[in-house]
Amino acid sequence: LIIILIWHCFGRPRPATNGMQEKNSVSHISSYSISVFAVGLFVGVLLDIFFPMRFMTEPLNQFIGLALVVLATMVIYSAEKHGEKYSQKRKNANVCNIDDFTNGPYKYTRNPKYLGLSFLLIGLGLILNTPFIIGTSIVSGIIVNIYFLKKEEALLEERHGELYKEYKSKVRKWL
């Protein structure tokens, strides 16, 4: 169920403005990178089923996990809303400035959706007390960072030029 929700909210390819999905668009690359997190969750659950292992016994991990899930939900929701506003503004005016990049969660991280997904999966791992979900979420974040974020950022630099380079110099990739 969680995998379906993640895919529905973030992983499905969205059509470009001309109604066709561009293979080298940021949303196309995002759909695959979000899938990496979904696969990581699936693998973590499978590993936990076949090799059950618990690493904490205190309820503190569940409290921390719940706090991470709530934080992740807020970050992802805020990033989605900010992204919708930016897309609408860009569609109407076809112009952007540095303030468009540095509002909402994008003020603190260039990748709030991925950061939120990492927090969400780590929080679930803490709530369920399984190191496999935590481990696979970290591995998923590393894969996304190494492979997909380089492509996304290259496309954004190509699309926005110096404006995006200035944004990159001011805001960290993760935290």
Side-chain angles (χ1 to χ4, degrees):
L1 179 64
I2 291 172
I3 292 171
I4 292 169
L5 286 173
I6 291 171
W7 177 257
H8 176 73
C9 292
F10 309 107
R12 68 189 190 286
R14 294 184 173 106
T17 53
N18 61 3
M20 300 288 291
Q21 177 67 37
E22 299 173 28
K23 276 194 165 188
N24 288 328
S25 70
V26 173
S27 63
H28 182 79
I29 294 169
S30 288
S31 66
Y32 288 108
S33 55
I34 300 301
S35 298
V36 170
F37 283 102
V39 168
L41 176 61
F42 182 71
V43 169
V45 169
L46 283 179
L47 286 171
D48 186 56
I49 289 170
F50 291 112
F51 308 104
M53 183 186 318
R54 303 296 171 247
F55 66 105
M56 292 182 162
T57 56
E58 299 177 24
L60 179 64
N61 66 314
Q62 292 178 335
F63 177 76
I64 294 169
L66 183 61
L68 279 174
V69 167
V70 169
L71 175 66
T73 304
M74 292 184 331
V75 168
I76 293 168
Y77 179 78
S78 178
E80 277 289 307
K81 286 298 173 193
H82 182 75
E84 287 173 12
K85 267 197 264 183
Y86 169 73
S87 294
Q88 191 63 32
K89 180 180 178 183
R90 189 158 185 261
K91 194 183 297 182
N92 293 339
N94 204 20
V95 175
C96 60
N97 58 43
I98 193 70
D99 293 333
D100 294 327
F101 293 114
T102 57
N103 288 324
Y106 292 92
K107 184 180 198 175
Y108 307 104
T109 175
R110 295 194 310 258
N111 303 292
K113 290 179 189 177
Y114 301 141
L115 183 65
L117 281 173
S118 296
F119 284 170
L120 179 70
L121 296 182
I122 291 170
L124 285 173
L126 287 170
I127 290 169
L128 299 173
N129 197 15
T130 173
F132 292 117
I133 292 177
I134 295 170
T136 56
S137 67
I138 292 169
V139 170
S140 298
I142 291 169
I143 291 169
V144 165
N145 188 50
I146 291 171
Y147 185 71
F148 294 103
L149 286 182
K150 286 182 182 180
K151 289 183 178 185
E152 278 187 29
E153 292 199 331
L155 285 171
L156 289 168
E157 277 186 32
E158 184 181 308
R159 181 184 296 165
H160 300 290
E162 288 301 317
L163 190 63
Y164 190 74
K165 288 179 184 177
E166 180 184 346
Y167 171 65
K168 276 178 62 172
S169 71
K170 291 180 178 182
V171 179
R172 295 178 65 141
K173 189 184 279 191
W174 288 94
L175 272 182

